[in-house]
């Protein structure tokens, strides 16, 4: 179960986000109206601005907890280091009680390494060919999660903008909520925004009807960079729920030591290749 958990986290988040649209259709919400083309372009422009200002590097500590399906709850500590310039990310997980190492995941350009020190195994995969269903049981595009993990608002590949919707708030003085609905051959993606800040994402598979929700909470802006202190993920199909709470966030912290983005394993470690 732990391998499934940490795979969700690293490939989701520096690792995840949202969905208040689950189980309902935005267009039929009471008070919802189609947003005009100018507003849709403005919202897409804000997302592009967020992505262009994503940090070149960062490091952080985090706490991850949740429940996988009907299994018991879990909790782990971790830290993440990322550098866009050298195309590397390293995420380490520790037992929340004994602080012993559980899993280390390293992305080195397109190569992915999953190291389980207790099992003395390392799994090798490739970002271009990886099938996340083999790891998580969920069909989702790796590049989508990789963008999310590196501080961007992910967009489904090959998307077109299906429509924009404005959810009018009846409460006086409250901001209206806007939705951008994107579509490609296999999925819909709904991004919810209040003001200029994305807060929710819903992914819907056209064939299986599977829904995945990402919640982006406690947003903070720093030198034009936007990040979230809390990220939650829910799979409506499996019932999996994961929350990640970040602390000690440092963006563009200067030179990152090579040892912080490398993985050393004992010679006796079994290597299992998926590509």
């Amino acid at each position: 179960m732990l391998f499934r958990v940490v795979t969700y986290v690293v490939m989701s988040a520096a690792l995840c986000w949202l969905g208040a649209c689950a189980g309902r259709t935005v267009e039929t919400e009471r008070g919802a109206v189609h947003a005009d083309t100018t507003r849709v372009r403005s919202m897409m422009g804000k997302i592009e601005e967020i992505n262009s200002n994503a940090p070149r590097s960062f490091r952080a500590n985090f706490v991850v907890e949740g429940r996988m399906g009907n299994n018991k709850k879990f909790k782990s500590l971790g830290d993440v280091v990322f550098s866009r310039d050298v195309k590397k990310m390293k995420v380490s997980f520790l037992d929340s009680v004994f602080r012993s190492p559980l899993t280390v995941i390293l992305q080195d350009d397109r190569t992915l390494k999953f190291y389980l020190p207790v099992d003395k195994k390392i799994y090798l995969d490739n970002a271009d060919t990886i099938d996340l269903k083999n790891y998580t049981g969920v069909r989702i595009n790796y590049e989508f999660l990789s963008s999310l993990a590196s501080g961007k608002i992910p967009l489904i590949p090959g998307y077109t903008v299906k429509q924009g919707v404005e959810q009018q708030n009846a409460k006086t003085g409250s901001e209206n909520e806007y939705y951008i609905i994107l579509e490609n051959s296999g999925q819909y993606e709904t991004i919810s925004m209040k003001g200029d800040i994305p807060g929710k994402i819903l992914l819907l598979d056209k064939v299986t009807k599977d829904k995945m929700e990402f919640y982006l909470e406690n947003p903070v802006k720093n030198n034009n960079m936007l990040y979230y202190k809390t990220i939650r993920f829910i799979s409506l199909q499996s019932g999996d729920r994961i929350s990640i709470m970040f602390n000690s966030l440092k963006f563009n912290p200067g030179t990152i030591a090579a040892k912080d983005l490398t993985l050393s394993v004992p010679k006796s470690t079994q290597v299992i290749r998926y590509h």
Side-chain angles (χ1 to χ4, degrees):
M1 183 183 74
L2 177 62
F3 187 37
R4 187 179 175 198
V5 170
V6 298
T7 303
Y8 261 143
V9 174
V10 76
M11 293 182 179
S12 306
L15 313 169
C16 275
W17 285 278
L18 6 171
C21 310
R24 56 190 174 92
T25 305
V26 173
E27 305 95 286
T28 60
E29 279 288 303
R30 178 175 296 177
V33 297
H34 290 288
D36 60 41
T37 302
T38 300
R39 181 60 187 176
V40 171
R41 287 176 178 171
S42 175
M43 290 188 290
M44 290 302 298
K46 293 300 180 182
I47 292 174
E48 292 171 5
E49 182 180 343
I50 291 169
N51 289 347
S52 65
N53 287 320
R56 304 299 306 175
S57 61
F58 64 79
R59 62 171 69 241
N61 299 323
F62 61 85
V63 177
V64 55
E65 59 186 20
R67 181 191 299 273
M68 305 303 286
N70 294 321
N71 295 316
K72 66 180 182 179
K73 295 180 180 180
F74 65 85
K75 183 177 181 179
S76 176
L77 307 179
D79 61 77
V80 55
V81 182
F82 167 76
S83 173
R84 197 179 306 278
D85 293 333
V86 297
K87 301 178 181 179
K88 290 186 178 183
M89 175 182 283
K90 183 178 179 181
V91 186
S92 303
F93 295 84
L94 302 175
D95 181 275
S96 61
V97 177
F98 301 104
R99 306 298 176 97
S100 55
L102 297 174
T103 305
V104 180
I105 304 178
L106 177 71
Q107 177 170 354
D108 186 348
D109 196 4
R110 309 309 292 166
T111 298
L112 300 168
K113 300 179 180 180
F114 303 82
Y115 175 46
L116 283 67
V118 176
D119 295 340
K120 297 182 180 179
K121 293 180 180 179
I122 185 169
Y123 295 85
L124 300 182
D125 215 319
N126 187 281
D128 296 320
T129 58
I130 187 171
D131 185 352
L132 292 184
K133 193 171 178 62
N134 293 335
Y135 296 89
T136 67
V138 175
R139 193 183 307 278
I140 187 171
N141 180 269
Y142 171 76
E143 291 298 335
F144 182 94
L145 293 182
S146 179
S147 293
L148 190 58
S150 63
K152 296 183 177 182
I153 303 300
L155 305 173
I156 54 177
Y159 73 85
T160 58
V161 178
K162 181 176 176 61
Q163 65 178 299
V165 177
E166 179 180 358
Q167 179 64 48
Q168 297 175 336
N169 197 318
K171 188 176 180 180
T172 304
S174 297
E175 284 188 292
N176 289 349
E177 193 162 5
Y178 294 89
Y179 301 91
I180 304 174
I181 303 173
L182 309 180
E183 177 183 14
N184 64 14
S185 59
Q187 289 180 305
Y188 293 106
E189 175 183 3
T190 301
I191 303 172
S192 169
M193 300 178 68
K194 282 189 176 181
D196 298 336
I197 307 297
K200 308 168 187 176
I201 296 175
L202 168 68
L203 290 182
L204 172 64
D205 190 289
K206 289 184 176 181
V207 176
T208 66
K209 308 303 179 184
D210 292 346
K211 293 179 181 178
M212 285 170 281
E213 303 175 349
F214 301 88
Y215 295 78
L216 312 175
E217 301 174 344
N218 302 319
V220 177
K221 277 192 173 182
N222 184 358
N223 295 326
N224 295 321
M225 290 182 293
L226 176 68
Y227 63 93
Y228 301 85
K229 291 185 176 181
T230 302
I231 297 171
R232 295 191 293 124
F233 167 82
I234 300 174
S235 171
L236 298 184
Q237 180 189 33
S238 65
D240 298 343
R241 295 171 175 266
I242 297 174
S243 296
I244 308 166
M245 289 71 70
F246 293 95
N247 56 73
S248 302
L249 279 157
K250 296 180 181 179
F251 290 93
N252 300 325
T255 302
I256 296 177
K259 64 180 179 63
D260 292 336
L261 287 167
T262 56
L263 179 62
S264 299
V265 302
K267 292 183 179 180
S268 59
T269 302
Q270 180 184 1
V271 178
I272 302 171
R273 298 180 182 272
Y274 278 97
H275 69 280

